[in-house]
Amino acid sequence: MQSQSMACAQQAQMPQGAATNPAKLKQQLGDWMICEDAQGEFYMNARTQQSFGQPPAELVQLYRASQQQKQHTAQQAVMQQTAAQSLAAQQQMWAPQQQQQHWCQQQQYR
């Protein structure tokens, strides 16, 4: 990732030759880096070293897929938490009944 940050920094210094602030790597998706420098955000392919002022279609697709994956993972976590809470509630409901049954059985054998 450090070499990719350097690529962003090199890219940031290339336009107009006067940039003093290195580009900051904001995010990476696959071969694509989303970078920001004093002039704004730009998109760079780490494999080809090509940079773009607007997000290329391939990067947009990767971004959407990553967002869908995050959403799916979050939904699974919520479902697991809901199931665990439901199980805990059921156990709390059954515990007094089981204690009462146990007490009744003990009374029966006396």
mmCIF file of all heavy atoms in Angstrom, residues 42-62:
data_model
loop_
_atom_site.group_PDB
_atom_site.id
_atom_site.type_symbol
_atom_site.label_atom_id
_atom_site.label_comp_id
_atom_site.label_asym_id
_atom_site.label_seq_id
_atom_site.Cartn_x
_atom_site.Cartn_y
_atom_site.Cartn_z
ATOM 1 N N PHE A 42 -8.946 12.312 -7.549
ATOM 2 C CA PHE A 42 -8.671 11.686 -8.837
ATOM 3 C C PHE A 42 -8.574 10.190 -8.630
ATOM 4 O O PHE A 42 -8.489 9.699 -7.513
ATOM 5 C CB PHE A 42 -7.412 12.275 -9.507
ATOM 6 C CG PHE A 42 -6.132 12.037 -8.756
ATOM 7 C CD1 PHE A 42 -5.312 10.965 -9.072
ATOM 8 C CD2 PHE A 42 -5.730 12.905 -7.750
ATOM 9 C CE1 PHE A 42 -4.119 10.760 -8.390
ATOM 10 C CE2 PHE A 42 -4.544 12.707 -7.072
ATOM 11 C CZ PHE A 42 -3.734 11.629 -7.381
ATOM 12 N N TYR A 43 -8.633 9.462 -9.718
ATOM 13 C CA TYR A 43 -8.731 8.005 -9.685
ATOM 14 C C TYR A 43 -7.581 7.437 -10.489
ATOM 15 O O TYR A 43 -7.304 7.888 -11.594
ATOM 16 C CB TYR A 43 -10.084 7.584 -10.269
ATOM 17 C CG TYR A 43 -11.198 8.377 -9.638
ATOM 18 C CD1 TYR A 43 -11.622 9.579 -10.225
ATOM 19 C CD2 TYR A 43 -11.755 7.997 -8.440
ATOM 20 C CE1 TYR A 43 -12.603 10.347 -9.620
ATOM 21 C CE2 TYR A 43 -12.738 8.755 -7.834
ATOM 22 C CZ TYR A 43 -13.157 9.933 -8.429
ATOM 23 O OH TYR A 43 -14.117 10.687 -7.830
ATOM 24 N N MET A 44 -6.907 6.440 -9.910
ATOM 25 C CA MET A 44 -5.717 5.914 -10.549
ATOM 26 C C MET A 44 -5.732 4.395 -10.548
ATOM 27 O O MET A 44 -6.075 3.776 -9.544
ATOM 28 C CB MET A 44 -4.483 6.423 -9.806
ATOM 29 C CG MET A 44 -3.204 6.067 -10.461
ATOM 30 S SD MET A 44 -1.890 7.006 -9.688
ATOM 31 C CE MET A 44 -0.570 6.601 -10.773
ATOM 32 N N ASN A 45 -5.359 3.836 -11.680
ATOM 33 C CA ASN A 45 -5.234 2.388 -11.786
ATOM 34 C C ASN A 45 -3.801 2.033 -11.400
ATOM 35 O O ASN A 45 -2.854 2.447 -12.065
ATOM 36 C CB ASN A 45 -5.551 1.921 -13.212
ATOM 37 C CG ASN A 45 -5.566 0.422 -13.318
ATOM 38 O OD1 ASN A 45 -4.610 -0.258 -12.966
ATOM 39 N ND2 ASN A 45 -6.677 -0.109 -13.790
ATOM 40 N N ALA A 46 -3.640 1.273 -10.321
ATOM 41 C CA ALA A 46 -2.303 0.939 -9.813
ATOM 42 C C ALA A 46 -1.533 0.054 -10.793
ATOM 43 O O ALA A 46 -0.312 0.119 -10.857
ATOM 44 C CB ALA A 46 -2.420 0.243 -8.459
ATOM 45 N N ARG A 47 -2.253 -0.751 -11.555
ATOM 46 C CA ARG A 47 -1.600 -1.666 -12.482
ATOM 47 C C ARG A 47 -1.071 -0.922 -13.705
ATOM 48 O O ARG A 47 0.068 -1.101 -14.115
ATOM 49 C CB ARG A 47 -2.583 -2.768 -12.889
ATOM 50 C CG ARG A 47 -1.991 -3.887 -13.694
ATOM 51 C CD ARG A 47 -2.977 -5.043 -13.900
ATOM 52 N NE ARG A 47 -4.365 -4.642 -14.038
ATOM 53 C CZ ARG A 47 -4.939 -4.251 -15.183
ATOM 54 N NH1 ARG A 47 -4.247 -4.201 -16.285
ATOM 55 N NH2 ARG A 47 -6.209 -3.916 -15.214
ATOM 56 N N THR A 48 -1.901 -0.051 -14.271
ATOM 57 C CA THR A 48 -1.518 0.640 -15.507
ATOM 58 C C THR A 48 -0.915 2.016 -15.262
ATOM 59 O O THR A 48 -0.373 2.621 -16.188
ATOM 60 C CB THR A 48 -2.751 0.818 -16.424
ATOM 61 O OG1 THR A 48 -3.683 1.691 -15.783
ATOM 62 C CG2 THR A 48 -3.401 -0.519 -16.749
ATOM 63 N N GLN A 49 -1.060 2.546 -14.020
ATOM 64 C CA GLN A 49 -0.600 3.885 -13.654
ATOM 65 C C GLN A 49 -1.348 4.999 -14.384
ATOM 66 O O GLN A 49 -0.894 6.136 -14.415
ATOM 67 C CB GLN A 49 0.916 4.038 -13.886
ATOM 68 C CG GLN A 49 1.754 3.083 -13.037
ATOM 69 C CD GLN A 49 1.607 3.350 -11.547
ATOM 70 O OE1 GLN A 49 1.820 4.453 -11.091
ATOM 71 N NE2 GLN A 49 1.236 2.326 -10.786
ATOM 72 N N GLN A 50 -2.504 4.682 -14.988
ATOM 73 C CA GLN A 50 -3.321 5.709 -15.622
ATOM 74 C C GLN A 50 -4.152 6.406 -14.562
ATOM 75 O O GLN A 50 -4.640 5.769 -13.629
ATOM 76 C CB GLN A 50 -4.273 5.086 -16.654
ATOM 77 C CG GLN A 50 -3.599 4.604 -17.910
ATOM 78 C CD GLN A 50 -4.631 4.034 -18.868
ATOM 79 O OE1 GLN A 50 -5.253 3.029 -18.580
ATOM 80 N NE2 GLN A 50 -4.803 4.698 -20.006
ATOM 81 N N SER A 51 -4.321 7.724 -14.712
ATOM 82 C CA SER A 51 -5.156 8.457 -13.772
ATOM 83 C C SER A 51 -6.289 9.132 -14.525
ATOM 84 O O SER A 51 -6.182 9.429 -15.719
ATOM 85 C CB SER A 51 -4.332 9.485 -13.008
ATOM 86 O OG SER A 51 -3.852 10.477 -13.877
ATOM 87 N N PHE A 52 -7.377 9.349 -13.792
ATOM 88 C CA PHE A 52 -8.595 9.893 -14.377
ATOM 89 C C PHE A 52 -9.173 10.946 -13.441
ATOM 90 O O PHE A 52 -9.119 10.800 -12.220
ATOM 91 C CB PHE A 52 -9.637 8.782 -14.575
ATOM 92 C CG PHE A 52 -9.152 7.656 -15.446
ATOM 93 C CD1 PHE A 52 -8.421 6.604 -14.896
ATOM 94 C CD2 PHE A 52 -9.422 7.639 -16.804
ATOM 95 C CE1 PHE A 52 -7.967 5.564 -15.697
ATOM 96 C CE2 PHE A 52 -8.974 6.603 -17.607
ATOM 97 C CZ PHE A 52 -8.238 5.559 -17.052
ATOM 98 N N GLY A 53 -9.766 11.967 -14.023
ATOM 99 C CA GLY A 53 -10.422 12.999 -13.237
ATOM 100 C C GLY A 53 -11.824 12.592 -12.808
ATOM 101 O O GLY A 53 -12.345 13.063 -11.803
ATOM 102 N N GLN A 54 -12.452 11.708 -13.572
ATOM 103 C CA GLN A 54 -13.775 11.180 -13.263
ATOM 104 C C GLN A 54 -13.646 9.673 -13.028
ATOM 105 O O GLN A 54 -12.794 9.020 -13.631
ATOM 106 C CB GLN A 54 -14.745 11.421 -14.431
ATOM 107 C CG GLN A 54 -14.972 12.888 -14.742
ATOM 108 C CD GLN A 54 -15.700 13.591 -13.603
ATOM 109 O OE1 GLN A 54 -16.632 13.055 -13.022
ATOM 110 N NE2 GLN A 54 -15.258 14.795 -13.279
ATOM 111 N N PRO A 55 -14.471 9.095 -12.161
ATOM 112 C CA PRO A 55 -14.345 7.656 -11.895
ATOM 113 C C PRO A 55 -14.694 6.828 -13.132
ATOM 114 O O PRO A 55 -15.772 7.000 -13.702
ATOM 115 C CB PRO A 55 -15.340 7.404 -10.759
ATOM 116 C CG PRO A 55 -16.248 8.581 -10.730
ATOM 117 C CD PRO A 55 -15.521 9.715 -11.360
ATOM 118 N N PRO A 56 -13.787 5.974 -13.566
ATOM 119 C CA PRO A 56 -14.059 5.107 -14.714
ATOM 120 C C PRO A 56 -15.159 4.090 -14.391
ATOM 121 O O PRO A 56 -15.403 3.769 -13.222
ATOM 122 C CB PRO A 56 -12.724 4.387 -14.948
ATOM 123 C CG PRO A 56 -11.715 5.193 -14.222
ATOM 124 C CD PRO A 56 -12.422 5.831 -13.087
ATOM 125 N N ALA A 57 -15.810 3.580 -15.415
ATOM 126 C CA ALA A 57 -16.927 2.645 -15.249
ATOM 127 C C ALA A 57 -16.522 1.422 -14.423
ATOM 128 O O ALA A 57 -17.292 0.951 -13.574
ATOM 129 C CB ALA A 57 -17.455 2.212 -16.613
ATOM 130 N N GLU A 58 -15.329 0.904 -14.647
ATOM 131 C CA GLU A 58 -14.858 -0.273 -13.902
ATOM 132 C C GLU A 58 -14.791 0.018 -12.399
ATOM 133 O O GLU A 58 -15.193 -0.805 -11.575
ATOM 134 C CB GLU A 58 -13.478 -0.704 -14.412
ATOM 135 C CG GLU A 58 -12.925 -1.934 -13.717
ATOM 136 C CD GLU A 58 -11.519 -2.291 -14.192
ATOM 137 O OE1 GLU A 58 -11.003 -1.664 -15.138
ATOM 138 O OE2 GLU A 58 -10.941 -3.207 -13.588
ATOM 139 N N LEU A 59 -14.320 1.196 -12.045
ATOM 140 C CA LEU A 59 -14.236 1.581 -10.638
ATOM 141 C C LEU A 59 -15.633 1.763 -10.042
ATOM 142 O O LEU A 59 -15.900 1.351 -8.916
ATOM 143 C CB LEU A 59 -13.427 2.871 -10.478
ATOM 144 C CG LEU A 59 -13.356 3.461 -9.067
ATOM 145 C CD1 LEU A 59 -12.788 2.459 -8.062
ATOM 146 C CD2 LEU A 59 -12.537 4.737 -9.069
ATOM 147 N N VAL A 60 -16.539 2.352 -10.805
ATOM 148 C CA VAL A 60 -17.914 2.535 -10.331
ATOM 149 C C VAL A 60 -18.542 1.165 -10.038
ATOM 150 O O VAL A 60 -19.194 0.978 -9.004
ATOM 151 C CB VAL A 60 -18.759 3.325 -11.358
ATOM 152 C CG1 VAL A 60 -20.227 3.339 -10.988
ATOM 153 C CG2 VAL A 60 -18.225 4.752 -11.479
ATOM 154 N N GLN A 61 -18.319 0.194 -10.917
ATOM 155 C CA GLN A 61 -18.858 -1.158 -10.703
ATOM 156 C C GLN A 61 -18.263 -1.796 -9.454
ATOM 157 O O GLN A 61 -18.974 -2.409 -8.655
ATOM 158 C CB GLN A 61 -18.588 -2.040 -11.922
ATOM 159 C CG GLN A 61 -19.416 -1.656 -13.132
ATOM 160 C CD GLN A 61 -19.010 -2.436 -14.375
ATOM 161 O OE1 GLN A 61 -17.934 -3.029 -14.437
ATOM 162 N NE2 GLN A 61 -19.867 -2.415 -15.380
ATOM 163 N N LEU A 62 -16.948 -1.653 -9.283
ATOM 164 C CA LEU A 62 -16.302 -2.203 -8.087
ATOM 165 C C LEU A 62 -16.840 -1.553 -6.817
ATOM 166 O O LEU A 62 -17.075 -2.230 -5.817
ATOM 167 C CB LEU A 62 -14.780 -1.989 -8.152
ATOM 168 C CG LEU A 62 -13.986 -2.948 -9.009
ATOM 169 C CD1 LEU A 62 -12.540 -2.471 -9.138
ATOM 170 C CD2 LEU A 62 -14.019 -4.345 -8.424
#
